[in-house]
Amino acid sequence: MDDQTFLLLYGVLAGVLFASFRKAVYDRKVANVPIVGFSGFIASCWDGLRFIHQAPELIQRGYELYPEGIFRVARLFRWEYVVCGPKLIKDVAGAPEHVVSFAEGAEENVQMKFTMGREIVENHYHMDLVRTTLTRNLHKCFPDVRDEIICAFDDVLELEGSEWKSYPVLPTMMTIVARVSNRLFVGLPLCRDKAYLANNVAYAVDVIRSANKITLLPPFLRPQNDFISWMLNIVDEDQKAVLPLTLRILSVNMVLFTQALFDLTTYPEYLLPMREEAERVVAEEGWSKAALNSMVKIDSFLRESQRINTSGLLEMTRKVIAKEGFRFSDGTVLPYGSYVAVAARPTHYDESKYENATKFDGFRFAQERTEHQANHESNDVFKRQMISTAVDHLSFGTGKHACPGRFFAATELKAMMAHLVLNYDVKPEVEGIRPADIVFGQNFFPNPTGRVRFRKRQ
């Protein structure tokens, strides 16, 4: 056994023992929060291992038992407190940062200090730009985004005549999305540079893979200890400017389109209605960001794809950083250091919130908007758009820390979907079979080997 393997096994064993002690202490502090699974020292650690592969079953069981309450499940080195129901979700969404920290929760989920760099965690000015300047300039910049969508699809798919070509969806769409996003982020010609785009795609994948691996280690084994880290701790700011700036650009590029494309090939009956809508809107209003607002069927299809394919069982992870803990409106108190999240995927599959919740209904939200308009309930119409957040639709989170990039993401996705249905025919690689998601702990990933066939529209 080499030294690294020995250190890893030793660290994991020490971490398990440390976690057992912490869990025992926390058991006394939060005895009124029920456990889904086991509470004993070794048994709860075993549950932590089970969570890696059986998280969907554990979280769903907890949601069914406590649909309006709080329960906890064992993770490898800590408890995860899971919040269910609109009232308690609002408590989390509205909690001040100095009490329940969004930043600390994101750090635990993505291990950002190690996967993206300490600077991006401690000084996140780029998110303020996404929230303000980028969003305000979407109308002005949309012609460039639209131009890049056309060029990216043509260059990447390379289709001629009536031929069908099969492509692995995840890497193909990541390349297209990276080009479209970076047309706005860095402009021409860099947004088409193959080496730069390959770095974008590799970065998005590596962040998730690295975070998954790091979370398997006990906390005291996670910090890096190498020469590069030492240099970055002491080097002058002007000598390390390129690194944090590059990381900020790359961190905004994530996979957005793959699941929607799998849905389109799984439910082909939605292609023609969305094509007809896009043709009508473009004929009447042209290609603009404002015109996208009229594509309510496309908007609904993408929002439903988000609902069905929520990437995380749990969303809105926060860490309690107030010394006195955090008190929910039902009186439950979580102690300092606790991690809390909301049960997102079970909420999206809750029959009390969505009729036929497990069924993909691509025009579900378009129909709701039509009904609200008929009843002159204009305020509720906005709540059913892709960019809107709610306690029953948590893909972008909700409350003060709802995803600030959702306006750009929605614009990009809708424009890409409209372009796709107008210019291409698509079908699954194997008729009637959708590539299964990859599940790791609480995370769902689109199948990286899943393929779809494309051809130019006939």
Side-chain angles (χ1 to χ4, degrees), residues 72-215:
R72 52 181 163 143
V73 293
R75 303 292 295 270
L76 271 180
F77 308 110
R78 60 180 175 86
W79 290 107
E80 185 86 61
Y81 297 89
V82 182
V83 174
C84 309
K87 184 179 179 181
L88 299 184
I89 290 176
K90 288 179 180 178
D91 289 347
V92 176
E97 180 69 13
H98 70 276
V99 176
V100 179
S101 174
F102 166 83
E104 294 282 349
E107 166 60 25
E108 176 63 19
N109 269 353
V110 190
Q111 296 295 311
M112 293 170 65
K113 290 179 182 177
F114 310 128
T115 59
M116 296 182 177
R118 182 177 297 275
E119 173 69 13
I120 202 171
V121 177
E122 296 175 349
N123 184 6
H124 39 79
Y125 67 79
H126 62 296
M127 298 311 294
D128 293 331
L129 288 176
V130 170
R131 185 179 293 107
T132 56
T133 309
L134 185 149
T135 300
R136 287 197 299 265
N137 281 279
L138 284 179
H139 283 280
K140 186 184 299 183
C141 297
F142 182 76
D144 289 338
V145 172
R146 165 67 180 153
D147 176 65
E148 199 58 40
I149 288 174
I150 297 171
C151 294
F153 271 93
D154 285 346
D155 293 347
V156 174
L157 296 182
E158 297 180 317
L159 296 176
E160 299 291 341
S162 60
E163 67 173 330
W164 284 99
K165 280 189 177 180
S166 175
Y167 290 92
V169 178
L170 185 57
T172 302
M173 289 303 117
M174 288 183 76
T175 300
I176 292 176
V177 170
R179 276 189 56 165
V180 174
S181 299
N182 280 282
R183 180 64 180 269
L184 189 60
F185 296 158
V186 300
L188 291 169
L190 186 56
C191 70
R192 297 179 185 176
D193 183 274
K194 290 185 178 180
Y196 174 75
L197 291 172
N199 194 24
N200 270 246
V201 172
Y203 176 85
V205 173
D206 288 346
V207 163
I208 302 302
R209 284 179 177 171
S210 298
N212 286 338
K213 292 176 182 177
I214 292 171
T215 55

Side-chain angles (χ1 to χ4, degrees), residues 142 146 278 282 285-289 291-292 295 414-415 418-419 422:
F142 182 76
R146 165 67 180 153
V282 170
E285 304 180 42
W287 278 104
S288 67
K289 181 181 179 301
L292 295 178
M295 298 183 186
K414 290 166 68 174
H419 178 81
L422 282 175

Side-chain angles (χ1 to χ4, degrees), residues 211-452:
N212 286 338
K213 292 176 182 177
I214 292 171
T215 55
L216 295 178
L217 297 173
F220 62 85
L221 281 185
R222 293 175 185 175
Q224 290 163 315
N225 189 28
D226 52 42
F227 187 74
I228 294 177
S229 299
W230 302 336
M231 285 195 304
L232 290 176
N233 286 333
I234 65 172
V235 74
D236 292 338
E237 290 299 318
D238 61 344
Q239 296 180 38
K240 61 178 182 179
V242 174
L243 175 62
L245 286 174
T246 303
L247 290 176
R248 291 177 198 283
I249 293 172
L250 294 177
S251 70
V252 184
N253 293 292
M254 292 294 174
V255 181
L256 298 172
F257 202 61
T258 301
Q259 294 286 20
L261 187 51
F262 281 143
D263 285 329
L264 185 60
T265 56
T266 305
Y267 308 101
E269 65 270 20
Y270 290 103
L271 190 147
L272 287 181
M274 290 195 293
R275 177 178 287 173
E276 292 167 358
E277 177 183 69
E279 286 178 331
R280 174 181 54 78
V281 171
V282 170
E284 296 173 355
E285 304 180 42
W287 278 104
S288 67
K289 181 181 179 301
L292 295 178
N293 295 334
S294 300
M295 298 183 186
V296 295
K297 290 181 179 178
I298 290 176
D299 185 284
S300 176
F301 183 91
L302 291 169
R303 183 175 171 89
E304 178 73 347
S305 181
Q306 277 189 311
R307 183 186 74 84
I308 288 288
N309 303 300
T310 308
S311 60
L313 281 165
L314 308 174
E315 298 288 353
M316 298 172 58
T317 301
R318 308 285 193 265
K319 183 178 181 179
V320 178
I321 60 174
K323 296 298 182 182
E324 67 275 15
F326 177 64
R327 180 179 294 274
F328 284 89
S329 57
D330 69 348
T332 302
V333 178
L334 299 187
Y336 170 80
S338 301
Y339 286 92
V340 59
V342 303
R345 199 174 180 96
T347 297
H348 290 182
Y349 282 73
D350 189 333
E351 289 288 337
S352 70
K353 295 175 173 57
Y354 295 98
E355 186 177 354
N356 296 320
T358 59
K359 177 185 177 183
F360 183 92
D361 182 354
F363 297 153
R364 175 190 303 273
F365 299 106
Q367 181 61 35
E368 289 184 11
R369 289 172 68 174
T370 300
E371 293 172 357
H372 286 305
Q373 286 176 324
N375 296 327
H376 305 289
E377 300 173 9
S378 57
N379 290 335
D380 286 335
V381 173
F382 181 77
K383 294 179 181 178
R384 297 305 180 185
Q385 293 184 29
M386 188 181 174
I387 58 172
S388 58
T389 66
V391 292
D392 62 356
H393 200 283
L394 299 159
S395 299
F396 285 135
T398 191
K400 64 178 69 177
H401 288 297
C403 175
R406 67 187 184 277
F407 302 96
F408 174 59
T411 298
E412 183 180 51
L413 280 170
K414 290 166 68 174
M416 288 178 61
M417 181 60 75
H419 178 81
L420 177 71
V421 298
L422 282 175
N423 294 282
Y424 299 94
D425 296 323
V426 294
K427 65 180 182 180
E429 176 79 351
V430 180
E431 198 68 36
I433 297 179
R434 177 195 175 109
D437 286 346
I438 304 299
V439 182
F440 186 90
Q442 66 163 329
N443 298 310
F444 287 72
F445 306 99
N447 194 306
T449 63
R451 302 178 72 89
V452 164

